[in-house]
Amino acid sequence: MKKYLTLAIALLAPLVLTACSTTGAGKPPSETAIATANYQKSDLYGLWYFNADDGTSQVLSLLLLKADGSATDFLIVSDKSSMQKVVQQSAWSYDGNRNVFEQTISEVSIQKGKAPATVTHPHEVIRASVELVRLDNKVMGIKFKREDGEVTSYLKGSAAMLEKLKHIQ
């Protein structure tokens, strides 16, 4: 597992650093919010994704934020000889006045290859500020900046991608 997570981080770091580079020291969302952020909870609904491929290994990360306040994260890491799938179930909320996204993780399933999944039930709360990335006034992506300064970015998934995901869940 550690090998795959390390690989995933290595593959994702350049993408995240390129997409999310900033200058100066940032403050966590509990101390300050993005002044221009004026998002509604409904702005966050839907499928968000990113993928990376270095020629020998692939990573696909999906985040599905549902209107009922539930969320599912998928992380699939594969190479020529193996595959690992991590599925995380959680509840989420968004406070637009403070620009604080909160995700409470309730279940994590880890499957290596074709072996049965191992399921755990942690209780972890993640808080982050949100920034929607727009191009020509169309939402193209989202950035989550955690209280510890970690930034995670996703692209906006299409309706067709969401339909395909419903069939494989």
Side-chain angles (χ1 to χ4, degrees), residues 7-28:
L7 175 62
I9 291 169
L11 289 169
L12 301 176
L15 177 65
V16 172
L17 291 175
T18 301
C20 304
S21 61
T22 59
T23 57
K27 294 183 180 180

Side-chain angles (χ1 to χ4, degrees), residues 45-138:
Y45 296 164
L47 180 64
W48 303 92
Y49 76 97
F50 93 45
N51 59 344
D53 185 339
D54 74 351
T56 60
S57 301
Q58 298 83 36
V59 174
L60 174 63
S61 181
L62 303 168
L63 172 60
L64 178 58
L65 298 175
K66 297 179 184 174
D68 68 1
S70 65
T72 305
D73 293 85
F74 299 87
L75 175 63
I76 301 169
V77 180
S78 61
D79 60 25
K80 292 177 184 174
S81 62
S82 64
M83 191 255 326
Q84 184 164 342
K85 179 178 164 183
V86 180
V87 180
Q88 179 176 281
Q89 302 295 332
S90 60
W92 72 281
S93 63
Y94 178 69
D95 179 341
N97 293 326
R98 295 182 13 235
N99 191 24
V100 175
F101 173 87
E102 185 172 284
Q103 185 175 17
T104 304
I105 302 163
S106 59
E107 181 179 291
V108 177
S109 168
I110 301 172
Q111 181 181 10
K112 296 178 183 178
K114 295 183 181 190
T118 303
V119 179
T120 59
H121 297 278
H123 181 77
E124 180 182 358
V125 178
I126 298 170
R127 289 180 189 85
S129 63
V130 173
E131 179 182 354
L132 292 179
V133 179
R134 298 178 190 271
L135 179 63
D136 293 332
N137 211 21
K138 181 179 178 187

